[in-house]
Amino acid sequence: MKQYVEEVKKEFVSMCWCFAKVKEGESFDELFDEAERRYYKLLERAMRDYELKHWIKHDLSEGFEHIALKMIVAEALAKELGAKSRSQVLDMLKSRRIEAEHEIETGKRRADLYVGEKQLYVEVETFYGTRDPIADKLDYEGPSGELGTLRKYVGIKDAKVRVVIHSLHMLLYLKGLLMLRRIYRNNYN
């Protein structure tokens, strides 16, 4: 039974850090510390993949974690579309089957990633440096017309939007995220 409890603890901690596997540690502090280290190593490894990075456009204001996650998500999208090898992943990016920094409205709005054949827009959000991520980042509509992550898709017919959020942030803001999902589904389809 003790072994089972230890495995459950490790799996829980792994889920909190975007499934970064943990192997060692007895206390939650030790397990969370290892998972965090493994998570950032995964991001660093992604950032050193210059061949993949070449095909993932990014804005200079984007942070390290945002760019690395965008690269990881782009690769996952390619696999979802059927890529079985690295060369197939790269081909999907080269051919713009998966496009980074896709312009939604010329010069005004962009999607982090876009899969045209599915009309799927993907946004990567880290929530760092945001007072209230739900109101100030996802659902924002400013006095000068600035739009938050989800607001910029209102009015785009048949758009499917996925928002990729760090697991810990998702847990912290779950109630607000579910409420926002309901609002958008009920009011904007």
Side-chain angles (χ1 to χ4, degrees):
M1 183 65 159
K2 183 175 172 36
Q3 178 66 25
Y4 176 72
V5 170
E6 293 303 313
E7 288 304 312
V8 169
K9 279 172 50 178
K10 287 179 181 178
E11 201 57 38
F12 173 74
V13 170
S14 172
M15 286 188 294
C16 288
W17 281 97
C18 303
F19 296 95
K21 291 295 177 199
V22 289
K23 296 177 182 171
E24 298 180 26
E26 293 183 26
S27 70
F28 269 118
D29 283 346
E30 291 170 344
L31 292 170
F32 268 87
D33 184 55
E34 182 186 354
E36 182 180 18
R37 273 187 278 113
R38 288 177 179 266
Y39 170 73
Y40 282 105
K41 281 184 182 176
L42 174 72
L43 297 182
E44 288 168 6
R45 187 169 49 245
M47 289 294 279
R48 286 191 306 269
D49 185 344
Y50 293 106
E51 188 173 26
L52 182 63
K53 189 189 262 185
H54 176 80
W55 300 104
I56 306 292
K57 291 189 283 184
H58 63 277
D59 187 291
L60 290 176
S61 67
E62 291 175 351
F64 158 82
E65 187 170 4
H66 188 272
I67 296 167
L69 285 172
K70 186 165 35 171
M71 292 170 64
I72 291 166
V73 171
E75 191 168 7
L77 284 169
K79 290 176 181 174
E80 188 179 305
L81 291 172
K84 303 251 186 282
S85 67
R86 177 161 174 82
S87 65
Q88 289 176 333
V89 169
L90 294 170
D91 285 344
M92 286 184 188
L93 291 163
K94 287 177 193 176
S95 68
R96 298 174 73 103
R97 203 167 157 198
I98 299 169
E99 184 182 350
E101 294 299 312
H102 172 77
E103 284 196 2
I104 300 167
E105 199 176 326
T106 307
K108 290 188 178 182
R109 300 183 276 174
R110 291 183 305 214
D112 284 329
L113 296 165
Y114 178 67
V115 180
E117 66 198 59
K118 293 186 171 204
Q119 199 172 358
L120 173 65
Y121 300 88
V122 180
E123 295 287 346
V124 175
E125 291 299 345
T126 58
F127 288 178
Y128 294 117
T130 305
R131 188 178 51 217
D132 177 354
I134 305 298
D136 297 342
K137 194 164 221 174
L138 297 177
D139 195 38
Y140 183 74
E141 185 169 6
S144 304
E146 318 90 302
L147 299 173
T149 301
L150 293 174
R151 287 263 180 184
K152 66 185 171 188
Y153 295 102
V154 171
I156 297 177
K157 189 173 172 30
D158 299 324
K160 292 181 239 33
V161 181
R162 288 185 195 167
V163 181
V164 177
I165 300 170
H166 188 294
S167 306
L168 274 176
H169 296 162
M170 189 269 309
L171 289 171
L172 289 169
Y173 296 100
L174 184 60
K175 184 178 179 181
L177 291 168
L178 291 173
M179 186 178 296
L180 197 58
R181 183 177 92 177
R182 185 179 42 108
I183 291 168
Y184 276 80
R185 278 193 174 164
N186 292 342
N187 293 285
Y188 307 112
N189 205 10

